[in-house]
Amino acid sequence: DTGVSQDPRHKITKRGQNVTFRCDPISEHNRLYWYRQTLGQGPEFLTYFQNEAQLEKSRLLSDRFSAERPKGSFSTLEIQRTEQGDSAMYLCASSLTSGKPDTQYFGPGTRLTVL
Amino acid sequence: GDSVTQMEGPVTLSEEAFLTINCTYTATGYPSLFWYVQYPGEGLQLLLKATKADDKGSNKGFEATYRKETTSFHLEKGSVQVSDSAVYFCALLTGANSKLTFGKGITLSVRP
């Protein structure tokens, strides 16, 4: 399977703990995106990378959130001091810039539950 | 800012019924438009897309036409199947940035 993969698929944590999620994009894709989806809503953009560079961050991304893509391949999203409001599905997507509008391909998501 | 509005759901249809799911948008510039589908227990999958006015995207019997004059991208299928039961999201992408803006999604249930 050469699609976008995410790990873990599910994470349950207690409030105040730190969590880290990993995303592996489609191998030749240079762009990687993170979105958050809460129940009954569409995904909301958090941040994206082109290669190693983080080019845009949403105002949704508080100081407790940090994302990295150190070698331009996989990415990690860390949430520090988790809060119950962080409970959501965290989606990763990747795309290849081609001079045309990018098509983003999504992974299966990591479902976070903060108790 | 950019936004996508989808009709309220859920929608329940009988197999072989005609499907229309409405989607309208507000955007600066000229967006590309997408429909994504999320089957139970799976991730978002691209269903179809259109990148300019009057383009028609199609896939798996689904179609949607980019209507600039009405700022709409309604999804249609002539005969739905039970396997089409899923959540459908309309989304847009503008050239000014790279983020997709999604609607809230609508749940479709098709009964045999």
Side-chain angles (χ1 to χ4, degrees):
Chain A
D1 184 13
T2 57
V4 178
S5 62
Q6 294 186 244
D7 184 70
R9 294 290 304 274
H10 303 273
K11 179 70 177 178
I12 300 174
T13 192
K14 293 182 179 178
R15 189 177 55 181
Q17 298 295 303
N18 300 343
V19 294
T20 300
F21 310 141
R22 177 179 169 123
C23 171
D24 287 88
I26 294 171
S27 60
E28 67 269 23
H29 284 187
N30 58 339
R31 285 189 172 176
L32 187 149
Y33 309 80
W34 286 99
Y35 292 82
R36 181 171 66 187
Q37 184 180 15
T38 53
L39 199 62
Q41 302 295 317
E44 294 175 295
F45 171 79
L46 293 178
T47 187
Y48 93 95
F49 295 83
Q50 179 155 316
N51 300 315
E52 304 89 355
Q54 188 172 18
L55 297 187
E56 187 175 349
K57 292 196 294 186
S58 164
R59 285 171 288 180
L60 291 175
L61 213 64
S62 77
D63 291 345
R64 297 184 297 106
F65 288 70
S66 62
E68 294 182 342
R69 195 183 183 198
K71 298 182 180 180
S73 55
F74 73 91
S75 175
T76 57
L77 177 68
E78 181 182 18
I79 309 174
Q80 296 182 327
R81 304 181 304 281
T82 52
E83 300 172 357
Q84 288 185 325
D86 297 331
S87 295
M89 178 76 85
Y90 290 83
L91 299 171
C92 177
S94 70
S95 70
L96 178 65
T97 51
S98 62
K100 300 178 184 178
D102 291 1
T103 295
Q104 296 180 23
Y105 296 89
F106 284 80
T110 294
R111 181 169 296 283
L112 173 66
T113 302
V114 182
L115 302 176
Chain B
D2 298 344
S3 67
V4 174
T5 302
Q6 292 186 233
M7 59 185 280
E8 293 289 328
V11 173
T12 301
L13 296 174
S14 298
E15 202 166 27
E16 298 184 1
F18 183 83
L19 169 71
T20 299
I21 301 178
N22 289 343
C23 171
T24 58
Y25 67 88
T26 302
T28 52
Y30 301 98
S32 296
L33 301 173
F34 303 81
W35 277 100
Y36 280 85
V37 59
Q38 191 169 33
Y39 297 103
E42 299 185 16
L44 282 168
Q45 299 178 23
L46 178 67
L47 181 59
L48 53 83
K49 67 178 181 181
T51 58
K52 61 182 188 295
D54 300 325
D55 269 1
K56 178 186 284 187
S58 60
N59 186 26
K60 298 182 181 180
F62 290 89
E63 293 183 340
T65 300
Y66 188 149
R67 300 287 187 200
K68 186 180 175 185
E69 64 276 13
T70 55
T71 62
S72 65
F73 193 53
H74 304 322
L75 183 68
E76 296 182 337
K77 186 174 186 182
S79 176
V80 293
Q81 305 300 312
V82 173
S83 57
D84 294 326
S85 298
V87 182
Y88 292 81
F89 293 93
C90 184
L92 67 83
L93 181 73
T94 63
N97 55 56
S98 293
K99 64 179 184 182
L100 283 166
T101 300
F102 285 87
K104 289 187 175 182
I106 187 169
T107 300
L108 170 66
S109 297
V110 181
R111 50 175 189 247

